[in-house]
Amino acid sequence: RVLVAIDDSAASWKALDEVADLVRTQPELGVNLFHAASYPPELQEFRGAEGAKEEEKLDHQLKRKQEHWEREVERAAAPLFRKARAILERAGATPEQVRSQASALIHREDLIDEIVKAAHESACGTIIVGRNSFPWLKELVVGHLGDEISRKASGISVRVVD
């Protein structure tokens, strides 16, 4: 089983093409599609309130807004997953072989940990990413996504597609 992290970048689609090539040569290969987006800053936390009741009310409102945004992340990921599934099915994968997961990140820098966590939870032996997938991550890391994942993905091989 492999996990491929996708966004709508050209790098992600190149990585997915490589996974499709693997499916052609390994017809039983399971594929996990992973997509993530981070909360906008206004949904990460609030400044707090003076009283406990007001704090509780603001916390409840924030949680509702976060839940709504998480549903939007899943809806936004659906076309990516449909396109990815179509590519993999043309390569010979059955619908049962392909799983998908959308993740809402509280902080952008959680992306790497979430990819590694998803791979471990799904028993993926390999993570495949495009070298320049998730371009917004460049603001946060020195190397590229694959380098950062390799540092954290103990027991999982990482393949970076140029």
Side-chain angles (χ1 to χ4, degrees):
R1 183 160 284 283
V2 299
L3 181 142
V4 58
I6 61 171
D7 57 4
D8 201 16
S9 67
S12 285
W13 297 117
K14 281 180 79 174
L16 192 71
D17 286 341
E18 183 156 320
V19 173
D21 289 342
L22 289 173
V23 167
R24 284 182 193 93
T25 61
Q26 300 173 48
E28 300 301 314
L29 182 68
V31 179
N32 282 43
L33 303 169
F34 179 88
H35 175 74
S38 62
Y39 283 9
E42 65 272 13
L43 294 183
Q44 291 178 4
E45 55 189 69
F46 59 90
R47 296 181 186 257
E50 297 208 8
K53 278 192 181 256
E54 183 66 17
E55 179 91 18
E56 187 176 316
K57 177 182 168 190
L58 289 173
D59 187 54
H60 180 72
Q61 288 174 348
L62 178 64
K63 285 193 185 340
R64 277 196 358 248
K65 289 177 183 177
Q66 288 172 335
E67 288 168 359
H68 174 76
W69 192 84
E70 288 171 11
R71 287 189 300 276
E72 289 301 314
V73 167
E74 289 180 16
R75 274 195 282 277
L80 294 174
F81 291 149
R82 276 194 302 275
K83 181 178 177 181
R85 283 178 176 279
I87 290 168
L88 294 170
E89 287 176 14
R90 278 195 304 273
T94 64
E96 296 77 27
Q97 286 174 262
V98 183
R99 300 179 193 158
S100 57
Q101 176 184 349
S103 180
L105 308 172
I106 295 175
H107 302 287
R108 297 168 107 186
E109 56 271 13
D110 295 338
L111 175 64
I112 294 156
D113 291 334
E114 286 298 311
I115 290 172
V116 172
K117 178 181 164 191
H120 278 294
E121 288 175 351
S122 300
C124 293
T126 304
I127 297 171
I128 300 175
V129 295
R131 181 168 303 280
N132 295 310
S133 296
F134 299 92
W136 50 263
L137 190 68
K138 287 183 183 178
E139 301 169 13
L140 305 172
V141 298
V142 175
H144 58 77
L145 180 63
D147 290 337
E148 297 298 319
I149 292 171
S150 292
R151 285 195 234 324
K152 294 190 173 196
S154 62
I156 299 174
S157 65
V158 178
R159 185 179 303 174
V160 179
V161 178
D162 286 317

